[in-house]
Amino acid sequence: MIKDDCIFCKIAKGDIPSATIYETGDFKCILDVAPANKGHALIITKEHYDNIFQLDAETAAKIFSFATVAAKAIKEETGCEGMNVLQNNGAVAGQTVNHFHLHLVPRNTGDGVNMSWAPKETVAEEQQTLAKAIKSRI
Ligand code: AMP
Ligand code: ZN
């Protein structure tokens, strides 16, 4: 499915230009137009999925598999020291473009990019109960 009013559907189709690194029938890997760092790339699906909650495991496997290839190529080319691979789902999680995409963000010492959070405390028994409850839904 393609959504007419979706910017990433238009990029996926080639109707809006992008700096394309690589593409297959399932996804397109492009440079982010407003990068956190040089070499910040996105892997976007060719079909429209709002987010991970809509995406099928087969397409996801292809995207996450290619992420390992793209990460190495970006690291080699940019000389970055590290990389964040992240993926936002829902406005509350920071998603601004409602079409599934995976971020590859090259990282360097002192680059000022901030992806930290304050860790919450846990109780071991509650963690076990929660893990089992989630498992029951798989
Ligand atoms: P998110 O906040 O996870 O939805 O990320 C959306 C990303 O898409 C941001 O990093 C934007 O800079 C990027 N973006 C938005 N429009 C374009 C575009 N036309 N070409 C490339 N990247 C884009
Ligand atoms: Zn779309």
Side-chain angles (χ1 to χ4, degrees), residues 1-3 6-10 45-49 98-100:
M1 194 260 284
I2 302 289
K3 243 179 139 179
C6 172
I7 186 167
F8 280 4
C9 279
K10 288 183 183 145
T45 50
K46 285 271 171 100
E47 292 267 323
H48 183 92
Y49 304 92
N98 290 322
H99 174 127
F100 180 92

Side-chain angles (χ1 to χ4, degrees), residues 33-102:
V33 77
N37 268 329
K38 180 182 162 193
H40 180 169
L42 304 172
I43 308 176
I44 68 175
T45 50
K46 285 271 171 100
E47 292 267 323
H48 183 92
Y49 304 92
D50 281 350
N51 51 42
I52 199 166
F53 304 119
Q54 286 188 351
L55 186 65
D56 62 279
E58 197 188 332
T59 306
K62 290 173 185 164
I63 286 167
F64 282 87
S65 170
F66 180 72
T68 67
V69 177
K72 290 170 191 129
I74 293 166
K75 185 171 188 290
E76 273 180 31
E77 181 58 32
T78 64
C80 65
E81 298 163 44
M83 187 172 291
N84 290 110
V85 177
L86 74 140
Q87 203 273 305
N88 301 324
N89 301 283
V92 72
Q95 186 176 13
T96 59
V97 178
N98 290 322
H99 174 127
F100 180 92
H101 55 281
L102 187 76

Side-chain angles (χ1 to χ4, degrees), residues 6 20 22-24 26-28 58 74 79 83 96 100 104 109 112 114 122 128-129 131 138:
C6 172
T20 303
Y22 194 83
E23 70 183 299
T24 71
D26 296 295
F27 63 80
K28 196 174 228 182
E58 197 188 332
I74 293 166
M83 187 172 291
T96 59
F100 180 92
L104 297 156
T109 304
N114 186 4
T122 58
Q128 291 296 337
T129 304
I138 291 173

